[in-house]
Amino acid sequence: MDQRSYHQFCATARTLDLVGDRWTLLLVRELLTGPRRFGDLQASLRGLGTGLLSARLKHLEREGLARKITLPPPARTPAYALTEAGEELGPAVLALARWGMRWAMGERRADETFHAGWVVLGLRSCFVPQAAAGVRATYEFRVGDEVFHIDVDDGAIDTVHGPARRPDVVVTADEELFVRLGEGSTTLAAGLADGGASASGDAALLRKLGEMFVRPPMGDRLGA
Amino acid sequence: MDQRSYHQFCATARTLDLVGDRWTLLLVRELLTGPRRFGDLQASLRGLGTGLLSARLKHLEREGLARKITLPPPARTPAYALTEAGEELGPAVLALARWGMRWAMGERRADETFHAGWVVLGLRSCFVPQAAAGVRATYEFRVGDEVFHIDVDDGAIDTVHGPARRPDVVVTADEELFVRLGEGSTTLAAGLADGGASASGDAALLRKLGEMFVRPPMGDRLGA
DNA sequence: CGGCATCCATTTTGATACTG
DNA sequence: CAGTATCAAAATGGATGCCG
């Protein structure tokens, strides 16, 4: 991207000069839900070697999109976090995710890796701010050994890796159910009914979830 | 793409499997303002050879994002257009553009190519639907030998390559002015005042332009 | 664990020449 | 003009070894 710019005076091209390289936007996607350690990043991104990961992180640092931090005690281990500029890539990443929900998802393939956090981000891309007007709630999701929480505050939303401080609702689910949520072949409500998931906490806020996250209808690309 | 997928069951990753290859999103950007011929695409994208362009177009066709068409008479020459799925990448491309307007633009570099259409798309990414409530207008822009028009219809917007049928406002401008609009170092109003641009048509709708397109404040990445 | 360096097989790309 | 064929240069991925 430095040596290999598009050399176009165009906002899209300049952005892709910075984040258009292979793996870069997926790295941003990972960091969008909070700081991560080097090893965890690599574990999430199968096929990305330590060398390239190191190079990409340096690039993001050099360009002011991410920075290396030291996790607060008692961890004290190094990690990577997005800067303000990096955080603001969120809408672009979510727009790509939203397109994918409609035009690229479908059944999970046998050779595809999976993390619950990816589904959480997919859901976030389906968030309907209008439906969340006046809602203030924290939802915690526990899927296998992954924990996420979603903060909804009157049309604004944030999804973060890790447990919530004071969740209003806690949902515990099978990874299997989350795969099917990603596929669009079930809903959280159905999962709660048939035992793939269980929930505790405020029942009214739990019901709200289905209204605030509306998956786009599946489109048929001829080529897929 | 096919051979080199990320192999992740994730909406973002699946999208990038389809359009994450070099040049692909820029090709979509070009087609977002209407069908284009092979040669015109190549002329817009310096550095992209005919071989790769051909491969990318075939890929987009195979994946159902674009299709080869024959331009209506009297042209009758082959061209490429987006399908519905391709068109729907618009929000993602515009989100990237919007980020670039804020974090990546600045002065045009000496080695950067430039087309007025890129600035038009940048402007479009700064469109504020609320400010366009109740507005119904067609603006035509003539910059050098490039002509574009923008259709605003009560919060909805479309930007298209080529002249408008019945423009309410026609703006004629220097390429120089458009470069400075991209840089954020001037405004259309200033250009009209100092002679870099001239306009004819409905004066009230012309004034509206400045309200409907609000450029985000420039951010400072440490690394740039 | 975190992260850089090195070597090597495979892909992608960029540039150019060439054909209908 | 539209598009294929060809080849050299660069990017990637995978393995491995090293050091704090």
Side-chain angles (χ1 to χ4, degrees), chain A residues 2 18-19 21-32 34-43 45 48-69 78-83 86, chain B residues 223:
Chain A
D2 306 327
L18 290 168
V19 300
D21 268 344
R22 192 163 164 79
W23 296 109
T24 305
L25 277 176
L26 294 187
L27 226 34
V28 171
R29 174 197 68 187
E30 293 299 314
L31 297 179
L32 235 27
R36 293 293 179 83
R37 294 183 303 169
F38 188 94
D40 292 334
L41 287 171
Q42 209 205 353
L45 302 171
L48 173 58
T50 57
L52 203 47
L53 174 54
S54 177
R56 289 288 184 270
L57 286 170
K58 261 193 219 322
H59 172 78
L60 289 175
E61 275 184 80
R62 188 157 32 81
E63 295 298 342
L65 305 191
R67 60 179 193 282
K68 190 170 182 174
I69 63 173
Y80 296 86
L82 293 177
T83 61

Side-chain angles (χ1 to χ4, degrees), chain A residues 150-168:
Chain A
I150 300 182
D151 260 306
V152 176
D153 185 0
D154 189 27
I157 183 175
D158 200 13
T159 59
V160 188
H161 189 241
R165 261 196 291 264
R166 270 191 48 253
D168 298 296

Side-chain angles (χ1 to χ4, degrees), chain B residues 5-217:
Chain B
S5 162
Y6 289 112
H7 298 296
Q8 296 181 357
F9 183 64
C10 158
T12 308
R14 285 237 184 143
T15 300
L16 290 173
D17 276 343
L18 290 168
V19 300
D21 269 342
R22 193 162 165 78
W23 296 109
T24 305
L25 278 175
L26 294 187
L27 224 37
V28 171
R29 175 198 66 188
E30 293 300 312
L31 298 179
L32 235 27
T33 47
R36 293 293 179 84
R37 293 183 304 168
F38 188 96
D40 291 335
L41 287 171
Q42 208 207 353
S44 293
L45 301 171
R46 213 178 43 183
L48 172 58
T50 56
L52 202 49
L53 174 54
S54 176
R56 289 289 184 270
L57 287 170
K58 262 192 223 320
H59 172 79
L60 289 175
E61 275 184 79
R62 188 157 33 81
E63 296 298 343
L65 305 192
R67 62 180 192 281
K68 190 171 180 173
I69 62 173
T70 299
L71 254 25
R76 290 190 183 290
T77 138
Y80 296 86
L82 293 177
T83 61
E84 185 195 357
E87 290 288 348
E88 287 194 14
L89 280 167
V93 172
L94 289 171
L96 291 167
R98 187 173 172 76
W99 188 89
M101 292 292 276
R102 176 156 160 69
W103 295 103
M105 284 306 275
E107 253 188 30
R108 177 186 177 187
R109 296 172 201 132
D111 62 352
E112 286 181 323
T113 61
F114 173 80
H115 293 280
W118 297 343
V119 171
V120 174
L121 221 59
L123 286 179
R124 176 169 166 187
S125 81
C126 302
F127 179 62
V128 182
Q130 292 80 8
V135 177
R136 182 172 172 75
T138 298
Y139 300 88
E140 183 173 296
F141 289 88
R142 301 178 187 166
V143 185
D145 55 355
E146 294 192 78
V147 183
F148 283 86
H149 65 275
I150 301 182
D151 260 305
V152 176
D153 185 0
D154 189 27
I157 182 174
D158 200 13
T159 58
V160 188
H161 189 242
R165 260 196 290 264
R166 270 189 49 251
D168 299 295
V169 178
V170 175
V171 176
T172 305
D174 295 337
E175 183 172 290
E176 158 79 12
L177 173 66
F178 258 57
V179 168
R180 286 162 55 76
L181 283 177
E183 293 178 342
S185 60
T186 192
T187 62
L188 183 57
L192 289 166
D194 73 16
S198 61
S200 65
D202 189 313
L205 287 176
L206 177 59
R207 262 193 311 277
K208 258 286 179 201
L209 265 181
E211 300 168 31
M212 292 190 296
F213 299 90
V214 180
R215 195 188 170 102

